[in-house]
Amino acid sequence: MAFTIDVDEEKWSKKVLQILLFDRTTNRNIIWGTDDYEPLGEKYNSHYPILLDLITGKNSGVIQPRILKTDESQGNRTKGKAEVFTPSWVCNAQNNLVDNAWFGSENIFNREIEKGWETNIEKIKFPDKKDKTWQKYVDEKRIEITCGEAPYLVSRYDSVSGKSLDLKDRIGVLDRKMRVVFENTDSDTEWLKWSERAFQSVYGFEFQGDSLLIARENLLASYCDYLEEKLNRRPTEKELINIAKIISWNLWQMDGLTYTIPYEELIEPFKQVSLFDLREKEKKCLCIIRDWRAKKNYTFQDLIYKGEN
């Protein structure tokens, strides 16, 4: 398994790739957020934005998933940013715990075996309750904190071994939602609608820009996989742009200790900050996220403190 971004060879246009690099809080590109690339030149400084020309064309191999990084680089990132990528069987077991609680029963999507799982090939059955429909399941909001390459959300490959996983055996939160959408929609229009809602329901944040970009790419590539499986065609440019915009909102760059963009300090603890203030301030930006069902933007900090009250 290899990860490269190249406008000429990959399946996405420059416009789509620019969206994957966009930061909705700052209205600029996400930043590197790591000093791993600084030996490549000034533009690869940890505080600098990730520009398209720095990772495409002759530079298409610059960003790679953790499994392809050197042991030294992996060790440094583990020590510096506590970056530890979890085996897919562990992600599966923990995601199963969430589903066990939601469904009120076990072995819904698969049965766990030693360091693995056996997929349940039967159509997923939902409890006979008004608040436990397949639509409710798809809309349930889930977040992966410090998400890295987002192995809990999508599982295109095992994050430790790098082995690709068949579509039917994927175990991420979004993978499960997309399976439910696949099994319960009949028309193309209905599938497109509920696939979009599935993507709108999953969130994640990450400090390091290269990992965040890979996470965003993993989600968009997963969308392509599921669309091709269900609709027997490739996604259109319009469809890719639409999903890429959702991903660029829902997977964002943030220092989880301060709720701000990396290397920025908190504006003022516990102070309400308007979106206007966020747009105007060049520094000390509290990260904003999107609630798609409410059609509103919030600072992540406001949601945290609201949840504690």
Side-chain angles (χ1 to χ4, degrees), residues 253-264:
Q253 190 167 32
M254 185 174 77
D255 183 332
L257 298 178
T258 63
Y259 311 134
T260 67
I261 60 175
Y263 309 122
E264 299 290 346

Side-chain angles (χ1 to χ4, degrees), residues 85-104:
F85 274 40
T86 312
S88 289
W89 67 269
V90 175
C91 295
N92 177 61
Q94 294 181 316
N95 284 344
N96 279 349
L97 290 176
V98 177
D99 280 333
N100 292 348
W102 197 91
F103 281 87

Side-chain angles (χ1 to χ4, degrees), residues 89-131:
W89 67 269
V90 175
C91 295
N92 177 61
Q94 294 181 316
N95 284 344
N96 279 349
L97 290 176
V98 177
D99 280 333
N100 292 348
W102 197 91
F103 281 87
S105 59
E106 299 182 355
N107 303 324
I108 301 300
F109 289 89
N110 57 67
R111 184 178 68 85
E112 295 170 34
I113 57 177
E114 185 178 0
K115 294 189 176 181
W117 62 91
E118 293 179 346
T119 301
N120 173 16
I121 62 174
E122 300 296 326
K123 182 178 179 180
I124 302 302
K125 296 180 180 179
F126 285 82
D128 188 18
K129 298 179 181 179
K130 290 183 178 180
D131 62 341

Side-chain angles (χ1 to χ4, degrees), residues 239-265:
E239 289 164 348
L240 287 173
I241 289 172
N242 179 51
I243 297 300
K245 286 180 179 178
I246 295 171
I247 294 170
S248 69
W249 270 106
N250 285 29
L251 270 68
W252 73 98
Q253 190 167 32
M254 185 174 77
D255 183 332
L257 298 178
T258 63
Y259 311 134
T260 67
I261 60 175
Y263 309 122
E264 299 290 346
E265 295 182 8

